[in-house]
Amino acid sequence: PTALMKGLGYGQDYRYDHTEDGLATGQEYLPDCLKGVKWYEPTNSGFEKTLGERIAWWSNQKKNTR
């Protein structure tokens, strides 16, 4: 941000995921009407099973950071 933006408080409360323990801040950026929407449902076959496990892990990390 520019000096003007900093002076106006731009990004003041922003938490950067990569500087947090566990690499997740739990911040929400979606509008309220989109919160909780499932964008992808992996199956239990092949690599999708691994993706499902990763999605579940990140979801758990996000819940524990709030």
Side-chain angles (χ1 to χ4, degrees):
T2 65
L4 172 62
M5 293 167 78
K6 286 181 183 178
L8 295 173
Y10 177 82
Q12 181 177 352
D13 296 323
Y14 179 77
R15 292 170 55 200
Y16 185 58
D17 284 338
H18 298 282
T19 61
E20 299 285 328
D21 291 334
L23 299 179
T25 62
Q27 297 180 100
E28 285 287 341
Y29 300 105
L30 291 174
D32 289 338
C33 64
L34 295 177
K35 286 183 183 177
V37 172
K38 286 226 173 195
W39 301 98
Y40 172 67
E41 263 290 337
T43 66
N44 280 327
S45 35
F47 187 64
E48 285 196 36
K49 182 176 180 180
T50 302
L51 291 176
E53 292 166 356
R54 289 182 183 184
I55 291 169
W57 186 85
W58 278 110
S59 178
N60 190 42
Q61 288 291 107
K62 189 174 182 179
K63 286 177 190 172
N64 290 333
T65 58
R66 291 186 181 166

